[in-house]
Amino acid sequence: KPDTVTYSVTNDNLNVFVGFNATCCSEYSASSSIKGDSILIKIQTTQLGMCNCICYYTYNFKFAGSASSYRYRVSVDDYLNFTGGIKR
């Protein structure tokens, strides 16, 4: 599967899906924040996997709010970056 970021809006909730390919058996931590009209999502490796394969990791983030638009930036270990805009 390709590395991807998608979003959907349900009522006043914004759902952001992040999927990426990386070495299997790795462990990650994730954080997110909203600053003004920008959503910042950061996913960092906490333990590098030693398995000899590639896995597709997925994360779902849910934000509540009523803004009509947002900008987003998703960073995975500072090597994989997604940016874009969301209009409700």
Short mmCIF file of all heavy atoms in Angstrom, two decimals, residues 1 10 12 33 37 45 48 50 67 82:
data_model
loop_
_atom_site.label_atom_id
_atom_site.label_comp_id
_atom_site.label_asym_id
_atom_site.label_seq_id
_atom_site.Cartn_x
_atom_site.Cartn_y
_atom_site.Cartn_z
N LYS A 1 0.85 -1.18 0.00
CA LYS A 1 0.00 0.00 0.00
C LYS A 1 0.89 1.24 0.00
O LYS A 1 1.94 1.25 0.61
CB LYS A 1 -0.87 0.02 1.25
CG LYS A 1 -1.86 -1.11 1.32
CD LYS A 1 -2.70 -0.98 2.59
CE LYS A 1 -3.72 -2.08 2.61
NZ LYS A 1 -4.62 -1.97 3.75
N THR A 10 -17.18 14.09 10.15
CA THR A 10 -18.46 13.55 10.60
C THR A 10 -18.98 14.46 11.70
O THR A 10 -18.33 14.59 12.75
CB THR A 10 -18.29 12.12 11.14
OG1 THR A 10 -17.66 11.32 10.15
CG2 THR A 10 -19.63 11.51 11.51
N ASP A 12 -19.19 17.32 13.89
CA ASP A 12 -18.14 18.30 14.19
C ASP A 12 -16.80 17.65 14.42
O ASP A 12 -15.88 18.27 14.95
CB ASP A 12 -18.53 19.13 15.42
CG ASP A 12 -19.54 20.21 15.09
OD1 ASP A 12 -19.66 20.56 13.90
OD2 ASP A 12 -20.21 20.70 16.01
N SER A 33 -1.37 18.09 17.77
CA SER A 33 -1.78 19.35 18.37
C SER A 33 -2.40 20.23 17.30
O SER A 33 -2.19 20.03 16.11
CB SER A 33 -0.58 20.06 19.02
OG SER A 33 0.39 20.38 18.05
N ASP A 37 -4.93 27.52 12.87
CA ASP A 37 -5.63 26.74 11.84
C ASP A 37 -4.77 25.56 11.35
O ASP A 37 -5.05 24.99 10.32
CB ASP A 37 -6.03 27.62 10.67
CG ASP A 37 -4.84 28.11 9.85
OD1 ASP A 37 -3.70 28.02 10.35
OD2 ASP A 37 -5.05 28.59 8.73
N THR A 45 9.71 6.89 15.87
CA THR A 45 10.13 5.55 16.25
C THR A 45 10.65 5.59 17.69
O THR A 45 11.49 6.42 18.02
CB THR A 45 11.25 5.04 15.33
OG1 THR A 45 10.79 5.05 13.98
CG2 THR A 45 11.68 3.63 15.70
N LEU A 48 13.41 0.64 17.04
CA LEU A 48 13.54 0.19 15.67
C LEU A 48 13.35 -1.32 15.60
O LEU A 48 13.93 -2.06 16.39
CB LEU A 48 14.91 0.57 15.11
CG LEU A 48 15.14 0.30 13.63
CD1 LEU A 48 14.13 1.06 12.78
CD2 LEU A 48 16.55 0.69 13.24
N MET A 50 13.69 -5.11 14.17
CA MET A 50 14.79 -5.88 13.58
C MET A 50 14.27 -6.99 12.67
O MET A 50 15.03 -7.84 12.25
CB MET A 50 15.65 -6.47 14.69
CG MET A 50 16.27 -5.41 15.61
SD MET A 50 17.21 -4.14 14.74
CE MET A 50 18.65 -5.07 14.29
N ALA A 67 -14.05 24.66 12.97
CA ALA A 67 -13.39 25.53 11.98
C ALA A 67 -13.75 25.06 10.58
O ALA A 67 -13.96 23.87 10.32
CB ALA A 67 -11.88 25.50 12.17
N PHE A 82 3.91 14.85 5.09
CA PHE A 82 2.71 15.15 4.32
C PHE A 82 2.23 16.53 4.74
O PHE A 82 2.21 16.84 5.93
CB PHE A 82 1.59 14.15 4.63
CG PHE A 82 1.90 12.72 4.34
CD1 PHE A 82 2.42 11.90 5.31
CD2 PHE A 82 1.66 12.19 3.08
CE1 PHE A 82 2.69 10.55 5.06
CE2 PHE A 82 1.92 10.86 2.82
CZ PHE A 82 2.44 10.05 3.81
#
